[in-house]
Amino acid sequence: NKVWNLRLAHSRFDKKGLTALSNDKKLRWLDVRDSNIKSQDVAILLDDMQSLTDLGISYNPIGNEGAKLIAQNNKIRELEVNNCVLGDVGAIALATMPNLSELEITNNYITQQGAAAFAKGNGLYLLAIDDNELGPDGAVAFADASITALSLEHTGISDKSAIALAKNHTLKNVWAAFNRIGKDGIDALQQAKFESLDVSGNVPMSSD
């Protein structure tokens, strides 16, 4: 088999099918989104994939246990786990992956604690953590994070988070639309020298 990139989205796998897929030692990119893969299936799927570097497993209920299993794979560089029923425990596990450079983890149950774990990591180039309830101070930890692109739409962050982001010297792209950022936060972000900034649809909090 010479296929390196494989999309099998919206599929249904039994144990035999997952094992066969896992035995493909040449796959580098795999997308199995919305395929009813659960935590116990992740162990089978990743058991023997020696070349896999990019994994899309969004819209599967893998939960925190599935995230922990993914985190044991040291070769994955790009990962999509959107809408996978993940909380802070799963986020903290994924934050330990040594070679992970791009992570999409939107629409889960991550709070400020999980976000802080990613901020402490050293390798992420891009983090998309939209549609998680990080709260007003949820992005404060990213003030000193070594990260280039950060998407925080619909996360409930406010001025304190925005001002912290504006102090980051490695960030070049910030997407923070539809949050609770007021004038002070938006002014700070606009004065920062980002290459790309989106603060559309922000409704400031009455008190911060």
Side-chain angles (χ1 to χ4, degrees):
N1 183 8
K2 295 183 179 180
V3 174
W4 289 349
N5 302 330
L6 180 62
R7 174 174 281 120
L8 285 169
H10 315 293
S11 302
R12 292 295 180 268
F13 300 99
D14 56 16
K15 184 176 180 179
K16 183 178 180 180
L18 287 168
T19 302
L21 194 55
S22 174
N23 288 336
D24 191 330
K25 295 178 174 57
K26 293 184 179 180
L27 271 183
R28 297 179 183 176
W29 182 95
L30 176 64
D31 184 354
V32 287
R33 73 183 63 196
D34 189 24
S35 295
N36 200 34
I37 292 172
K38 299 179 176 63
S39 59
Q40 62 269 27
D41 301 323
V42 174
I44 301 172
L45 181 64
L46 298 181
D47 180 54
D48 201 28
M49 285 193 173
Q50 299 178 359
S51 301
L52 190 70
T53 58
D54 297 9
L55 175 63
I57 197 168
S58 297
Y59 299 94
N60 288 290
I62 64 170
N64 290 328
E65 294 306 312
K68 289 179 183 179
L69 292 167
I70 292 174
Q72 295 174 18
N73 188 308
N74 292 331
K75 294 184 178 180
I76 292 178
R77 296 196 302 260
E78 298 182 15
L79 177 63
E80 295 180 12
V81 282
N82 305 309
N83 200 357
C84 284
V85 203
L86 303 182
D88 288 334
V89 171
I92 291 167
L94 295 175
T96 66
M97 297 177 71
N99 293 310
L100 192 63
S101 63
E102 296 188 15
L103 174 63
E104 293 184 21
I105 193 166
T106 68
N107 197 23
N108 283 291
Y109 299 94
I110 298 165
T111 70
Q112 183 176 352
Q113 181 183 10
F118 292 123
K120 293 176 183 176
N122 297 317
L124 277 180
Y125 170 85
L126 177 148
L127 173 65
I129 197 169
D130 315 274
D131 295 291
N132 286 280
E133 189 53 50
L134 305 185
D137 301 341
V140 170
F142 289 100
D144 301 313
S146 178
I147 191 169
T148 303
L150 181 61
S151 189
L152 295 147
E153 297 182 356
H154 290 284
T155 55
I157 62 171
S158 62
D159 281 358
K160 189 173 181 179
S161 286
I163 292 168
L165 292 174
K167 296 176 181 178
N168 186 298
H169 299 298
T170 62
L171 267 175
K172 294 182 179 179
N173 306 286
V174 175
W175 302 282
F178 303 104
N179 283 298
R180 307 305 301 274
I181 305 172
K183 183 180 184 301
D184 290 345
I186 290 177
D187 285 348
L189 290 170
Q190 289 177 331
Q191 290 170 18
K193 296 181 179 180
F194 298 134
E195 294 179 1
S196 177
L197 173 65
D198 186 357
V199 286
S200 306
N202 270 276
V203 179
M205 301 180 71
S206 57
S207 61
D208 203 2

